[in-house]
Amino acid sequence: MNGLRYQLKSVRRDKMCILTFLLPVVVGIAIHLLSGMSVQSISETSFGVVQNEAADDTVTWLRQSGTVTEYESSDALFSAVNEPSTQMIGVIQEGDAIKTMISGDELEVNRVIADTLPQAYEERTEPLSVERTLIHVEADREGLKSLLTAITLITAMFMGCTFNAMNMIREKEDGIALINQVLPLTARSYAVQKILLGFIGGTASTIVTALICMRTESAQVLPFLLILLLSAYLSALIGLFIGTFSSGLMTGIVVIKVVMILFLAPPVFFYLIVPDNAVVFGLSYILPSSAAFYAIMDLFNRQSAKLWPALAALSVHAVFWSIVYKLLWSYRRCRHGGV
Amino acid sequence: MWNGFFGLLKKDFRLMLSGRFFVLALGSLVLYSCYINFVYVKLDQEIYPVYLYDPQETQSVISESVTKVESREALEAACADRYSVGIDLSAGKPELYLLSSGLETADHYRMIWGEAVLKGTAKGKAEVIGLHNKEMKNRREITAEFLFFELSAVGFLGLASMLFKEKQMGVIRVHGILPVRRSVFIFSKLLLLLASDLLFTVLLTGVNLGFLAALEVLPAVLLQAGILSLIMTLTGFLCAVRLPDFRQFSLFYLVLAVFVTTPVFLAGQTGIAWKWIFYHPVYHLFRAMKSAYFSMSTTSVPYYLFCFGGIVLLFLSACRTLKLEMAKEG
């Protein structure tokens, strides 16, 4: 306990460490402030028309299916359609009909919409030949926002890793690691102190971030806390690995960079692209962050299908990596013949 | 003079080797290229799938975009993803069945689409006015972004780690009494980092765009990469000389990464229209890099004048800061 007090004292002097934990909170506030509309408009189909050329009822009709931007000239419309960062479909009025144009680099969904839009426009006044049943689902309407929030929460949970690794490498460079070797401090209690430090920091940072930008029901608090505690423990442990086995600050930074990319990119990718029942999706549980990410997205969507597999995967990870660390540590001690 | 310069160049090169600078760059190159080729290029969003429940087989011709299901339950289950559109022909009047995606406009179009598929009128061809297909666009876009990030963040960090090592070893103090000019000290680092950044640019572009496409865009890209590299290296140099230790520097680096490059990335990638982004200097550097990859000439004379002025200003202040630092070190 005394050791932990010293660790906390050393952290207090380290602005970098404090900032590591404050970062997700700041990003959480930024996401919270992002208005729902501006995020929503990104995922809408966007149409571009030339001002005064398109008939008013065409614009009104287009607005039912997406956002409409009016440009002053056809040149401006051409360059907006060609702009690589947008998915804009250009719509040109030709008498009673419309013509569409695309840049050719759009996603399939927008390509098909552009191809079929003129035909749909012609048939817009025909009476409905079908009965439409649109079922409103009770779920959050901010798909992208919840995705961003989940990413931020995962980052916060796994910040303990960055923090521990940086902290340990710095201790090595400052020579504190050497001093520790002559102090009455066992390797075991050192590891426990460091894990506790990363764990407490990661947990606190995630809880603050979650309070800012996550709305949960009371029934979801317990599963969320379980995921959080397991992830924060795992991340502190991974930080311990990086800190123990990195030789210098630069190597540490690169390893952290790679680990953070590996922890963030694949879960998002698998979640969005790969179907749930695919073998590859199951394999993605090899990464602890994937399990945490799926579980949090489930909580956002008010579902619980992936919650228990995720908790099981995280527990297995926690036990497995603790044993691996212990074994590696004893192996090193045997090789170096001492502490 | 030249002997001294080559001596410094050799020393800096060795320092970069020992700091594993090239290994890092190579590692990043492999990581980025793997991500681009195995993940990013394949990203797509397919058109809304249509599921048809037709127990009386009333539809003789079925479009290839339709999947048949055997029961109403199967139809409802298939549409549970809030993306697919279901058509039920079991009753007298055809019924379009869909779960709201949360976006009114998208739902509206999904209904139009379902109806068009049912009637078999979902055809036509939009005019294609662009030069690139989706794969090539994805490759160019993400390569431009990765290069921008690598040059603006990692090169900056590499230089700082090198300089802090030198500071620790007392090189700056020793340099104060060497018969070499101060500008040469900066110049040798600048030249080495510029060369390594340009090499990185050539490799990253070549690997991810393909040889021919790379050849076409490289002159413009190299110019932008050179400008960005010089600006970032000089900024890194200034900060590294000014700030007392690596810890404070990493704090600065974090601020730079989060608050300077992220809004630029968001605006560039998603096309969000923020008016204030126009006043963000890094945004223009990013736009110029992206335009170079898409062979668009959107950069103008004032942009190059600003860049040139910025580089000269940064160089002069780097010289001045180094002079102050040397005086401080005695």
Side-chain angles (χ1 to χ4, degrees), chain A residues 44 102 131 133 135 249 254, chain B residues 24 95-96 100 105 127 129:
Chain A
E44 276 183 300
I102 49 172
E131 190 183 326
T133 314
I135 296 169
L249 195 57
V254 173
Chain B
L24 290 185
E95 182 199 353
L96 269 186
S100 168
T105 51
E127 188 189 349
I129 58 167

Side-chain angles (χ1 to χ4, degrees), chain A residues 1 18 41 72 75-76 118 132 143 159 165 254 260 284 287 312 314:
Chain A
M1 204 58 215
I18 297 170
S41 65
E72 280 175 8
D75 281 349
R132 289 172 170 181
M159 261 311 173
V254 173
M260 282 314 258
S284 70
L287 284 173
L314 281 174

Side-chain angles (χ1 to χ4, degrees), chain A residues 90-109:
Chain A
V91 179
I92 296 166
Q93 184 94 40
E94 286 186 329
D96 274 346
I98 55 165
K99 205 179 83 177
T100 50
M101 58 184 182
I102 49 172
S103 158
D105 58 17
E106 285 80 2
L107 296 170
E108 190 198 316
V109 59

